[in-house]
């Protein structure tokens, strides 16, 4: 797949994804940083979205089942990187990034609460490194972490 093919596929999915997340055209335009007129033109298939809009759209809505199903990929950002860069070898870089930029705050019952050392962004991952929750708010991250641990104890 190349950029042009991806643009064609995802341009046709903007309205569906907008509906999936219950946004109106004004809200979608604001999220994507474009005018409502642009959204209307794309949704009516009068124009295709630009590469920049598609990258923004797919990244911000990477949790969309519509996008994931259409592309056959859960990690949409990695998919976008591959389309744009053609080849990616992240095995050594990914290992370094995950180990050195995240401080473990708490670890219980297979859940790990971490804080990014630069951005102070919080995340909860499982033992496989799969992200389960993300937040910029420590209280929210701690609360979710405790709820996950408690739920796991009850099960």
């Amino acid at each position: 797949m190349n950029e042009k093919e991806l643009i064609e596929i995802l341009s046709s999915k903007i309205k569906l994804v907008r509906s999936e997340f219950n946004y109106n055209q004004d809200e979608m335009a604001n999220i994507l940083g474009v005018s409502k007129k642009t959204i209307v033109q794309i949704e009516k298939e009068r124009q295709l979205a630009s590469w920049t809009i598609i990258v923004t759209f797919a990244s911000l809505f990477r949790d969309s089942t519509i996008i994931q199903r259409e592309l056959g990929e859960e990690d949409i950002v990695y998919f976008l990187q591959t389309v744009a860069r053609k080849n990616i070898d992240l095995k050594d870089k990914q290992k370094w990034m995950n180990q050195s930029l995240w401080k473990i705050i708490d670890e219980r019952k297979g859940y790990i609460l971490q804080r990014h050392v630069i951005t102070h962004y919080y995340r909860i991952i499982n033992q496989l490194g799969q992200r389960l929750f993300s937040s910029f708010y420590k209280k929210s991250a701690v609360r979710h972490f405790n709820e996950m641990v408690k739920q796991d104890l009850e099960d």
Side-chain angles (χ1 to χ4, degrees), residues 1 11-12 14 17 26 44 52 57 83 93 101 107 138:
M1 178 174 293
S11 288
S12 70
I14 288 178
V17 172
D26 286 320
K44 290 189 175 193
T52 306
F57 168 67
V83 170
K93 189 174 195 170
L101 295 177
E107 185 172 1
K138 182 177 183 179

Side-chain angles (χ1 to χ4, degrees), residues 41-115:
Q41 295 297 320
I42 293 168
E43 288 185 357
K44 290 189 175 193
E45 298 181 3
R46 293 180 183 150
Q47 74 179 54
L48 292 173
S50 68
W51 174 247
T52 306
I53 293 171
I54 290 300
V55 169
T56 303
F57 168 67
S59 298
L60 294 177
F61 292 95
R62 67 181 182 224
D63 55 336
S64 164
T65 55
I66 293 166
I67 294 174
Q68 291 176 3
R69 206 176 19 217
E70 188 66 34
L71 300 179
E73 175 66 67
E74 287 183 25
D75 189 341
I76 301 303
V77 174
Y78 185 76
F79 185 84
L80 291 169
Q81 286 178 302
T82 305
V83 170
R85 293 165 46 186
K86 310 304 181 228
N87 298 297
I88 301 174
D89 184 0
L90 296 174
K91 62 182 182 268
D92 293 331
K93 189 174 195 170
Q94 195 69 28
K95 190 183 297 181
W96 176 85
M97 294 279 289
N98 285 337
Q99 292 175 355
S100 64
L101 295 177
W102 292 95
K103 178 182 176 188
I104 295 176
I105 306 298
D106 199 349
E107 185 172 1
R108 286 183 272 151
K109 297 292 180 189
Y111 299 107
I112 305 165
L113 173 61
Q114 299 176 317
R115 179 180 55 87

Side-chain angles (χ1 to χ4, degrees), residues 33-44:
V34 299
S35 68
K36 179 181 177 181
K37 180 181 176 185
T38 299
I39 295 297
V40 170
Q41 295 297 320
I42 293 168
E43 288 185 357
K44 290 189 175 193

Side-chain angles (χ1 to χ4, degrees), residues 115-130:
R115 179 180 55 87
H116 194 273
V117 297
I118 297 171
T119 63
H120 300 277
Y121 174 69
Y122 294 89
R123 73 179 183 181
I124 300 169
I125 60 171
N126 63 17
Q127 291 175 326
L128 300 174
Q130 297 168 317

